[in-house]
Amino acid sequence: MSTDTIDATFAALADPTRRAILARLALRELSVTELAAPFAISQPAVSKHLKVLERAGLVTRGRDAQRRPVRLAAQPLREVTQWLEVYRRFWAESFDRLDGLLEDLQPPHRQEEH
Amino acid sequence: MAGALTITTPTDREIVLTRTFAAPAALVFAAWTTPDLLRRWYGPREWQLVVCEIDLRPGGAWRYVTRHVDGAEMVQHGRYESVDPPRALVTSEVNDDCDAQAGSDTRATTDFVETGGGTVVTTTVRYATVQIRDAVVASGMEYGVAAAYEQLDELLVTTTSVGGGPA
């Protein structure tokens, strides 16, 4: 996995409007007009966000000259998710062990509450 | 009372971990800052904390060495910036793999908030630059590789038993 990809993906995901755009594209492809509609920002502003997402490889634009539908591209998201999954596993497994330790350390009367 | 771990990435340089533990804050704080206790929980199951040195005071140093069952080691070290038992802990971690420049440390702020019968622990890890975060990504992948080997081991065991090989 390239760290350039992760870099671009994280930068693209750092913005709440872009995350909202991706969330909507996860359901279906949309035109720029359709994408701009629920946001309190102009179409050019949405286009600017789309350029960032496109550079990060998170979305692709369709060939239809009129509409140029925007589609979600899943691969870079998958790479970031995969990294987070490794990170999550480190801490999830550590914390599960900590649960056991904390139970061992507490006086028995506390455990009766279970 | 113990809850699921949640991880969020509010910005491209921050990671926030939240988890609830079924114990008072003082005990959870002790588990976070006492070498004998840390050795009993820090690291995923095939990793062991083999060195744990802690000088728990502002400016004091900490150093962890974790070892995988295959012998691979990971060294982490830094300083305590603020120690406020049992409520909060701020630590820095020196990033040896990167250019060792002043101000390039990763900072982790951990808050321990006691709620009815449990403690909510929130850790915010902030990387100084995206380059450092990328280095952490790269080192994180080593854990991923270890996990992959482990899966391979399991697969080989399964395959052997299916094939009726020697036990």
Side-chain angles (χ1 to χ4, degrees), chain B residues 93-104:
Chain B
E93 181 174 349
V94 177
N95 303 283
D96 290 326
D97 295 338
C98 309
D99 298 331
Q101 292 167 355
S104 73

Side-chain angles (χ1 to χ4, degrees), chain A residues 24-46:
Chain A
R24 292 184 61 223
L25 290 173
L27 302 174
R28 64 185 182 92
E29 62 174 50
L30 294 164
S31 69
V32 175
T33 317
E34 288 168 324
L35 270 172
F39 297 110
I41 51 174
S42 64
Q43 277 192 34
V46 167

Side-chain angles (χ1 to χ4, degrees), chain A residues 39-93:
Chain A
F39 297 110
I41 51 174
S42 64
Q43 277 192 34
V46 167
S47 293
K48 222 168 146 187
H49 282 305
L50 285 176
K51 280 209 179 76
V52 177
L53 291 170
E54 226 177 327
R55 264 204 303 276
L58 286 164
V59 302
T60 57
R61 304 292 299 272
R63 290 218 188 91
D64 178 346
Q66 291 291 306
R67 214 172 144 258
R68 302 227 43 216
V70 186
R71 294 191 193 100
L72 186 70
Q75 188 55 33
L77 266 183
R78 207 169 285 142
E79 290 190 0
V80 166
T81 311
Q82 191 189 350
W83 171 59
L84 274 178
E85 178 51 31
V86 170
Y87 196 87
R88 192 202 63 79
R89 182 170 168 267
F90 182 102
W91 288 107
E93 287 187 16

Side-chain angles (χ1 to χ4, degrees), chain A residues 1 3-4 6-8 10-16 19 79-80 82-84 86-107 110 113-114, chain B residues 2 5 7 9-12 15 17 19-24 27-28 31-32 37 39-47 74 117 125 127 130 133-134 136-137 140-141 143-144 147 150:
Chain A
M1 169 171 43
T3 53
D4 285 350
I6 298 170
D7 205 37
F10 269 107
L13 291 174
D15 182 90
R19 288 200 297 269
E79 290 190 0
V80 166
Q82 191 189 350
W83 171 59
L84 274 178
V86 170
Y87 196 87
R88 192 202 63 79
R89 182 170 168 267
F90 182 102
W91 288 107
E93 287 187 16
S94 293
F95 289 163
D96 286 349
R97 290 171 65 190
L98 180 53
D99 282 336
L101 171 65
L102 291 169
E103 203 176 316
D104 289 349
L105 292 175
Q106 291 181 79
R110 284 196 126 285
E113 293 168 11
H114 286 213
Chain B
L5 169 67
I7 298 185
T9 53
T11 69
D12 64 350
I15 296 179
L17 300 100
R19 175 72 147 74
T20 302
F21 296 95
L27 196 58
V28 182
W32 230 266
L37 297 179
R39 282 195 194 91
R40 291 166 67 179
W41 71 268
Y42 187 88
R45 63 192 157 98
E46 70 277 19
W47 291 80
M74 183 177 76
V125 182
Y127 301 104
V130 287
R133 191 213 57 219
D134 286 348
V136 174
V137 170
M141 291 326 282
Y143 284 94
E150 192 191 10

Side-chain angles (χ1 to χ4, degrees), chain B residues 83-108:
Chain B
V83 179
D84 178 20
R87 283 179 294 271
L89 202 56
V90 180
T91 58
S92 65
E93 181 174 349
V94 177
N95 303 283
D96 290 326
D97 295 338
C98 309
D99 298 331
Q101 292 167 355
S104 73
D105 295 355
T106 297
R107 179 173 285 104

